[in-house]
Amino acid sequence: MERAIRQRITQQLTVIAAAIEGDHTHPSAEDIYLRVRKILPHISLGTVYRNLQRLVQDGALQMLFFGDRTARYDPTLEAHDHFICQQCGRVEDVKVERDRRMDFAALVREGFTIAAHSLAIRGVCHRCGPRQDAASPDKGERRH
Amino acid sequence: MERAIRQRITQQLTVIAAAIEGDHTHPSAEDIYLRVRKILPHISLGTVYRNLQRLVQDGALQMLFFGDRTARYDPTLEAHDHFICQQCGRVEDVKVERDRRMDFAALVREGFTIAAHSLAIRGVCHRCGPRQDAASPDKGERRH
DNA sequence: CTAAATGCAAACGATTTGCAGCCCC
DNA sequence: GGGGCTGCAAATCGTTTGCATTTAG
C-alpha cells in the first residue's frame, strides 16, 4: 500500500483559511488573493489556488459556479441556496423553504445515485431593484 | 432613436441552429464546432461562438454551466432539471417532482425579484453506477 | 451597394503546472 | 534533512476580439 502523504500546515494555508472563514460573499480566488496579500505580501496566486483546492478536497470549503467561468468559494457547508443578482452580480445565501423534501425517488428507481443538489435562483436583489412592483412575483419566471 | 440592427440569416447560423436542435446531450461550443465542420469544413470556432451567443440572446438556446469552466448549450426551453454524473461527466435532463412550487414568497417579500431558478443534481448515473444498492437513497446527501 | 457576418490569429482571463529553492515536521 | 510547499513564470483551456474580406439583403 502506498504511504499516505503527510500534509503540512503552512503559514499560507492558515492565512488563506482564516481569510474565508465566516465569509458569505462568495469570493473568487482573486478576491482571496488580494485579502491574503495584505498579511503575506509575497504570496503567489498559484499558492492561493493550490491551497483552496486542498481546502475543498478536505471538505472545509465548497467550490461553486454561478454562470460565469469563475470559481467561487463558500465556507458554509450546511444546506442553503444561492441567489445571484443579475444586476450587481452579488451572490447571497438564501434559504428556500421546500415542502419537505423534493422527490428524488423516481431518479433513484432509475438507477441514479444522488450525492448532492444545488438550487440557484436568478433575479434582481433588494439593493438593485428598489421599487419593483411585487404584485406578480412569478411573472415571467423561467426554470433552467 | 437608433436604428435597429438588421440581423442576417447566414448559412453558418442555419447549420449551427440545426446542429443543436433537439439535442439533449448538452454539447459544448467545441462539440458543436466539430459537428458543424462536417457540413461547413471552413467554419471557424469564433463564428460558432458568435452564433451561439446570438441564439442565446434570441432565446432559442440556454447557456448552462455545470461546475467546470465550459459553457454547455441546451435547446430545451421548458422547465427541467439537470443531473450531472460525477463519473462520466454526462449531463442528463431530468424532471424532479416538486411539491407544487417552492416557496419563493419569503424572498419576494424581502424585495427580491425572481427571474429564473435552476436545480442541478450531482451523483452517479445509471450507466456508471450499475449495482449500487438503492436502499438508502439519501445517504450522505449534501446540498450545495 | 453596404453593413453585418466571416475566418483567421492574436488577445484574454481564470486556472494549472514545472521547477529550483525553501521550510515544516 | 528530506519531501512537501512555495514563488515565479510559462503553459493551458475556453472564450473573445480586431481586422481585412466576404456576403446577405
Side-chain angles (χ1 to χ4, degrees):
Chain A
M1 214 151 284
E2 72 260 18
R3 203 171 90 280
I5 294 167
R6 263 194 298 278
Q7 303 215 110
R8 294 178 181 173
I9 313 290
T10 63
Q11 206 184 156
Q12 287 86 340
L13 177 67
T14 312
V15 175
I16 289 167
I20 332 169
E21 210 190 317
D23 183 326
H24 290 195
T25 66
H26 308 85
S28 64
E30 181 85 30
D31 294 334
I32 295 161
Y33 171 59
L34 293 174
R35 287 181 205 171
V36 168
R37 236 189 357 179
K38 291 178 186 166
I39 297 165
L40 301 173
H42 294 300
I43 199 170
S44 72
L45 232 195
T47 297
V48 173
Y49 275 107
R50 277 184 285 234
N51 280 297
L52 287 173
Q53 216 169 278
R54 179 170 156 190
L55 290 167
V56 169
Q57 273 159 12
D58 292 354
L61 243 48
Q62 286 185 61
M63 187 195 237
L64 303 169
F65 291 85
F66 297 116
D68 54 2
R69 236 149 296 99
T70 312
R72 308 306 198 89
Y73 298 87
D74 191 341
T76 305
L77 298 174
E78 71 252 21
H80 67 285
D81 305 307
H82 292 107
F83 183 92
I84 302 118
C85 181
Q86 294 171 323
Q87 214 125 116
C88 66
R90 214 186 322 263
V91 178
E92 296 199 30
D93 286 347
V94 296
K95 187 91 177 66
V96 173
E97 291 307 320
R98 295 160 169 59
D99 282 331
R100 284 287 113 223
R101 170 191 334 168
M102 281 178 285
D103 180 24
F104 292 122
L107 287 179
V108 173
R109 246 178 275 120
E110 290 177 53
F112 291 90
T113 306
I114 292 164
H117 69 273
S118 60
L119 178 66
I121 302 147
R122 252 157 262 270
V124 181
C125 75
H126 44 21
R127 276 180 255 238
C128 293
R131 50 207 89 279
Q132 205 78 14
D133 119 288
S136 46
D138 287 331
K139 193 67 149 300
E141 186 186 333
R142 195 166 39 93
R143 217 207 294 175
H144 69 189
Chain B
M1 214 148 284
E2 73 261 16
R3 205 170 89 278
I5 294 167
R6 262 194 300 275
Q7 303 213 110
R8 293 178 183 175
I9 312 290
T10 63
Q11 204 184 155
Q12 287 86 340
L13 177 67
T14 310
V15 174
I16 289 167
I20 331 169
E21 210 189 318
D23 183 327
H24 290 194
T25 67
H26 307 84
S28 65
E30 182 86 29
D31 295 334
I32 295 161
Y33 171 59
L34 293 175
R35 287 182 205 170
V36 168
R37 235 185 2 173
K38 292 177 185 164
I39 297 165
L40 301 173
H42 294 300
I43 198 170
S44 73
L45 232 194
T47 296
V48 172
Y49 274 107
R50 276 184 287 233
N51 280 297
L52 287 173
Q53 218 168 276
R54 177 170 158 190
L55 290 167
V56 169
Q57 275 160 9
D58 291 355
L61 242 49
Q62 287 185 59
M63 187 196 239
L64 303 168
F65 291 85
F66 297 115
D68 54 0
R69 239 144 288 99
T70 312
R72 307 307 197 89
Y73 299 86
D74 190 343
T76 306
L77 299 174
E78 72 253 21
H80 67 285
D81 305 306
H82 293 107
F83 183 92
I84 301 118
C85 181
Q86 295 171 322
Q87 215 125 115
C88 65
R90 215 187 319 263
V91 178
E92 296 200 29
D93 287 348
V94 296
K95 187 93 180 64
V96 174
E97 291 307 320
R98 293 158 168 61
D99 288 323
R100 285 286 112 222
R101 176 187 326 175
M102 283 177 283
D103 180 25
F104 293 123
L107 287 179
V108 172
R109 245 178 274 118
E110 290 177 53
F112 290 89
T113 306
I114 292 163
H117 69 274
S118 60
L119 178 66
I121 301 148
R122 253 158 262 269
V124 182
C125 75
H126 45 21
R127 276 180 255 237
C128 293
R131 50 207 90 280
Q132 204 79 16
D133 120 289
S136 46
D138 288 330
K139 194 67 150 300
E141 186 187 334
R142 197 165 37 93
R143 217 206 296 176
H144 69 188

